[in-house]
Amino acid sequence: MAVQLNDPQREAVRYLDGPLLVLAGAGSGKTRVITEKISWLIEGCGMPARNIAAITFTNKAAKEMQERVTGLLPGHSASGLSISTFHALGARILRQEARLIGLKPGFSILDASDTFGLFQDLLKNTDKGQVRAVQNRISLWKNGLLNPEQALAASADPLETAAAPTYAEYERTLRAYQAVDFDDLIRLPVKLLEAEAEALARWQGRIHHLLVDEYQDTNRCQYMLMKLLAGPRATFTAVGDDDQSIYAWRGADMENIKLLREDFPQLHVVKLEQNYRSTTRILKAANALIANNPKLFEKRLWSDLGHGDAIHIQTCRDSEHEAEWVVARLTAHRFDHRGKWSDYAILYRGNHQARAFEQHLREQNIPYALSGGQSFFERAEIKDITSYLRLVANPDDDPAFIRAVTTPKRGIGSATLETLGSYAGQRHASLFTAAFEAGAEQHVNAKQLSAVREFGQFINRLELRAPREPARQLLEELLLAIGYETWLFETLDPREAESKWSNVRDFVEWLSRKGEDDGKNLLELTQTVALITMLDKNDRDSDAMQLSTLHAAKGLEFRHVFLVGVEEGILPHRESTESSRLEEERRLMYVGITRARYSLHISHAMKRKAGKEWRACEPSRFITELGDDLKRGGGLAEAPPDKQTGREKFARFKALLGNT
């Protein structure tokens, strides 16, 4: 039997009289409100699904939303509904309006590692840290809708003054490659819709109701895209929680919530305060903590899930003791409650904190999953294959050309590419185009040029077939033609080659199936790949506990949470001295607390090693702000047993579990 909506949820679903902001507290059912509203618009109001667009921040969230809506609606009534990330929607707009902005529909989408390579070329002899800093600064400028000239005028420090000219060069390079980066997928549609009245009218006519999830995470550029698409009708539903805004460092702008009130005076606000996740004690502590931040809208979470266990605050002697205590406590708790490993999470402020916990979990043979691992698409073998696909879609994509023409090796080396690159630069042409010009014969060795042209003809043949033939057939022929499997086993040891080839086979099978399911050809799939960060075949259902940063844990929930390293200098971070930064750190702590359903353990150490030196640590001010309903444990009184005793105790746990 379906669970009924509570009164504020129902109000949010049924409200259609203008712009709506839904302030959805942690665990208050925001995804349900969005999916129920889509269902209501289609079934209750007769709005065609093709005129509704829902935007979220991750592919996983978009997929979950699509599945929920499909479950709510009968037959094919959801056909044509658009549920996507901001970036996927931006890519769709650019594909359809590309010529208005000087792009061809087959433009390339460069990921962070591709663009880092471009910045390294532009900033020769600069260390990687500085290159990354320039890359991040330019990303923030793009998200703030600043062009290179405006960025230079607004430069406030030596880094920005040096980065602004690089920004201009970087933009010229992207245009030469007929490529865009991830920031451009939002920025360029905004520029396009602002400049082209017909295109703006076209898109406003398509979208009769816009729903935006995780609104508090939008940057200024995303807000402008939302505002342009909503148009004069302003029929949108923005759903978010100002208390969970934790991404200012990557451009998210809390001011966007204030802007809604200023730009849309008729804005209606609905608060979702009933929490369906956590016990009263956990919510009481979360409310007490976040009350220390200034509020635009007052909100107080409550729950009818019972009082629950006291929040346990543990003082540990040092970081080693903390890791031992957490793993021992977690193991004992699981044994007592006959739970699963996946019921538990260890959350921390920074990735560097994971190492000690990983070591102790491995010693006890406890299965765990670590957030922030390498994306499937970042693996070298996958990037090798996608470089061919990118080149088929866009021969002007020089980074893809360089990778594909040299992988596997085909007698074309760096000297040949450097000579060809020099000629291409003189001609203001891509490497691919330059290779087929008659003038190239005066610059590049005849044998090497012949090999490059043979490679180019192979790409041209694939490009001709790509719109008409099944992706599966072309992918299989591509792998066979380039001899990728043979090359792997000739250049790597058998185990590594087998692993990489298995990944390639998984990728080809997944992409082929996606082409068949979605009716997409190889050219269309290539742009899809650029927008996806991981395969759907994640081992999400395995029984493993989660190690995660607080940022990566947002949107997740666990029955039992261990929040570790809650000390001054870690949480809040040592660089968070300004009031706005401190408020964001407090929101990060709030996110950590509200991941817990039934129990919450918070630990801190009295000292930690910094290099070879020990430094004294103070418990975080945030612990004091949680209130008085806490259970405290002392570091010296609760020293864990030595490792051998711990192993013996764990073996007894396993034996007992085996007999139950």
Side-chain angles (χ1 to χ4, degrees), residues 163-437:
T166 305
Y167 182 9
E169 290 180 59
Y170 172 62
E171 284 298 283
R172 285 193 291 272
T173 304
L174 287 178
R175 295 296 83 79
Y177 291 171
Q178 281 286 297
V180 300
D181 61 23
F182 262 42
D183 298 319
D184 287 333
L185 291 175
I186 316 294
R187 183 180 71 96
L188 292 179
V190 168
K191 284 180 62 179
L192 170 76
L193 296 177
E194 285 180 330
E196 301 289 342
E198 287 186 16
L200 179 62
R202 197 158 40 242
W203 284 92
Q204 288 177 348
R206 289 180 189 179
I207 299 175
H208 295 174
H209 199 96
L210 182 66
L211 301 101
V212 180
D213 189 16
E214 302 287 8
Y215 177 75
Q216 77 283 345
D217 294 336
T218 55
N219 57 41
R220 190 56 53 91
C221 204
Q222 288 159 338
Y223 173 70
M224 285 302 300
L225 182 60
M226 172 188 139
K227 184 179 173 185
L228 285 163
L229 291 173
R233 278 196 303 261
T235 48
F236 65 79
T237 300
V239 182
D241 182 6
D242 49 341
D243 291 333
Q244 295 187 74
S245 179
I246 58 172
Y247 293 116
W249 52 275
R250 70 180 190 196
D253 194 342
M254 277 278 285
E255 291 294 308
N256 285 352
I257 291 181
K258 292 180 184 175
L259 276 178
L260 274 184
R261 296 187 92 175
E262 294 170 9
D263 291 345
F264 303 96
Q266 72 276 40
L267 182 73
H268 183 62
V269 179
V270 174
K271 299 177 189 176
L272 304 184
E273 296 172 294
Q274 182 175 359
N275 175 284
Y276 293 93
R277 176 188 299 159
S278 307
T279 62
T280 297
R281 266 179 158 154
I282 290 169
L283 296 182
K284 181 182 175 185
N287 286 330
L289 172 77
I290 207 66
N292 290 278
N293 275 1
K295 312 283 276 185
L296 189 61
F297 300 98
E298 286 298 328
K299 183 170 81 286
R300 192 166 184 83
L301 296 180
W302 62 275
S303 164
D304 59 9
L305 298 178
H307 202 50
D309 297 340
I311 295 172
H312 186 107
I313 309 294
Q314 180 68 22
T315 302
C316 301
R317 289 193 305 269
D318 52 38
S319 51
E320 179 70 15
H321 176 203
E322 181 184 43
E324 287 183 40
W325 181 86
V326 166
V327 173
R329 179 73 179 228
L330 187 155
T331 305
H333 190 280
R334 175 181 173 270
F335 175 75
D336 290 343
H337 292 78
R338 298 294 192 271
K340 298 185 295 184
W341 292 118
S342 56
D343 292 339
Y344 295 83
I346 298 174
L347 307 182
Y348 37 81
R349 176 64 177 81
N351 277 310
H352 67 279
Q353 294 170 260
R355 196 174 300 115
F357 296 97
E358 282 194 83
Q359 180 182 336
H360 286 280
L361 290 167
R362 282 198 299 267
E363 284 177 0
Q364 300 292 358
N365 294 316
I366 296 172
Y368 67 90
L370 186 67
S371 74
Q374 186 186 42
S375 160
F376 186 87
F377 284 91
E378 286 298 308
R379 297 173 191 264
E381 60 272 23
I382 304 304
K383 290 180 78 71
D384 287 344
I385 304 307
T386 54
S387 68
Y388 282 86
L389 306 186
R390 282 168 47 185
L391 201 55
V392 169
N394 174 19
D396 293 326
D397 187 337
D398 277 2
F401 178 90
I402 291 167
R403 188 174 192 124
V405 81
T406 57
T407 313
K409 302 295 182 188
R410 49 173 57 82
I412 300 166
S414 56
T416 300
L417 290 174
E418 189 173 337
T419 306
L420 180 61
S422 176
Y423 172 71
Q426 295 170 25
R427 299 288 299 151
H428 302 290
S430 68
L431 292 168
F432 192 98
T433 300
F436 286 96
E437 290 187 357

Side-chain angles (χ1 to χ4, degrees), residues 335 645 647-657:
F335 175 75
T645 306
R647 289 192 191 98
E648 291 170 0
K649 185 176 180 182
F650 186 65
R652 290 198 298 274
F653 284 160
K654 288 175 72 174
L656 283 168
L657 282 172

Side-chain angles (χ1 to χ4, degrees), residues 31-40 65 68-69 72:
T31 303
R32 182 159 184 245
V33 165
I34 294 171
T35 54
E36 291 280 358
K37 184 151 195 173
I38 293 170
S39 174
W40 169 251
M65 209 176 284
R68 288 208 204 179
V69 171
L72 289 171

Side-chain angles (χ1 to χ4, degrees), residues 443-487:
H443 296 77
V444 184
N445 174 280
K447 184 180 178 183
Q448 267 70 46
L449 184 60
S450 175
V452 172
R453 285 176 171 174
E454 184 181 337
F455 168 78
Q457 287 159 358
F458 168 65
I459 296 296
N460 283 335
R461 289 193 296 273
L462 281 175
E463 184 183 3
L464 282 171
R465 297 170 61 194
R468 300 189 300 273
E469 299 183 28
R472 182 182 295 276
Q473 179 181 329
L474 290 173
L475 286 165
E476 295 294 352
E477 289 186 25
L478 168 64
L479 291 180
L480 193 60
I482 66 175
Y484 195 78
E485 180 183 13
T486 303
W487 177 71

